[in-house]
Amino acid sequence: MIKEDCRHDLREHTATAARPYHFVDSGLPNIYLIGVRYRSCRKCGARAADIPAPVELMNVIAESIVMRPGVLSGPEIRFLRKRVGKKAAEFAGLINNTPQHLSKLETGALPLQEATDKLIRLTYGVLSGDHAVLQRITAQVEEWFRSIHGRKIRPIRIRSRNHRWIAA
C-alpha cells in the first residue's frame, strides 16, 4: 500500500518474468504477476500495482491452483473456498468434514490427505460455474488425479496480456 507521503518518491515499473510482481493481495504467498504495471516508493519500498480485470485474475489464479500438481496448501484451500462464496461451516459439510477440521486444514495445523484434496478441487470446479475448468478436469481426470501428491508449494505466475490474464 502506497502512503500519501510517498507520492513524490514513486518509480514506475512493469513486471517481467525475471522480476515479477509479488501479488500478496490475493491472500496467497506464491502468486507472481508478469506484465502488470506497478509503482514503488524509493524511500519506504511500498509497492502497488494497477490490476486490470481483477475478477478474471482471481479466476485464473483459482484455475491454476486447481490444475497444478501437488497437494493444496492451507491458504490455497481457503482461497478456493472463498472464491465459491462459501462459509467455512458450509464448505466443510460439502467435503464431509467438520468446520474445526477444515479450519485446521486451512491453517496448516493438519496435513491434507490426497482424497480430501481431490474432493476440494472437484467441489470448487462444480461450484465455480466455470465450464472451462470442468472441461479441463474432465479431459485429463486420470492424469490430473495422479498428479495430486506431495507437499511442495510452487510459485504460480500469471501474465497480463492485452488486459487479459493467463497462467504463465
Side-chain angles (χ1 to χ4, degrees):
M1 179 73 129
I2 303 276
K3 300 173 192 155
E4 181 65 29
D5 52 339
C6 293
R7 69 175 182 246
H8 298 294
D9 296 300
L10 294 179
R11 291 178 36 199
E12 295 277 333
H13 309 275
T14 299
T16 64
R19 293 186 59 130
Y21 178 78
H22 188 194
F23 184 51
V24 295
D25 290 342
S26 68
L28 297 166
N30 59 328
I31 304 298
Y32 296 89
L33 304 180
I34 301 165
V36 69
R37 295 176 49 90
Y38 67 96
R39 292 166 303 291
S40 65
C41 176
R42 284 180 267 220
K43 284 186 177 177
C44 71
R47 296 167 34 144
D50 298 324
I51 305 293
V55 172
E56 180 186 357
L57 170 60
M58 298 305 254
N59 289 340
V60 171
I61 292 170
E63 181 177 350
S64 296
I65 290 168
V66 167
M67 297 307 297
R68 77 168 174 74
V71 175
L72 295 171
S73 69
E76 290 170 335
I77 297 167
R78 183 180 306 111
F79 181 86
L80 294 175
R81 174 180 59 80
K82 288 183 174 188
R83 287 301 302 150
V84 294
K86 297 296 180 189
K87 294 185 186 282
E90 188 177 6
F91 195 79
L94 292 172
I95 62 168
N96 201 29
N97 274 308
T98 65
Q100 296 80 8
H101 188 89
L102 178 62
S103 175
K104 289 178 182 179
L105 293 175
E106 289 184 349
T107 62
L110 279 178
L112 179 62
Q113 300 300 310
E114 290 179 22
T116 305
D117 181 294
K118 293 170 186 176
L119 185 55
I120 290 169
R121 293 175 197 236
L122 286 172
T123 301
Y124 171 82
V126 170
L127 295 178
S128 72
D130 188 336
H131 298 293
V133 172
L134 282 175
Q135 286 177 336
R136 286 188 63 197
I137 291 170
T138 303
Q140 53 193 15
V141 71
E142 288 184 37
E143 177 185 334
W144 179 69
F145 273 164
R146 282 193 286 279
S147 76
I148 299 170
H149 63 280
R151 289 281 305 150
K152 193 173 196 177
I153 298 174
R154 298 178 180 105
I156 296 174
R157 293 177 180 236
I158 310 292
R159 181 180 305 273
S160 172
R161 190 172 287 146
N162 299 324
H163 299 290
R164 301 275 307 166
W165 292 104
I166 56 171

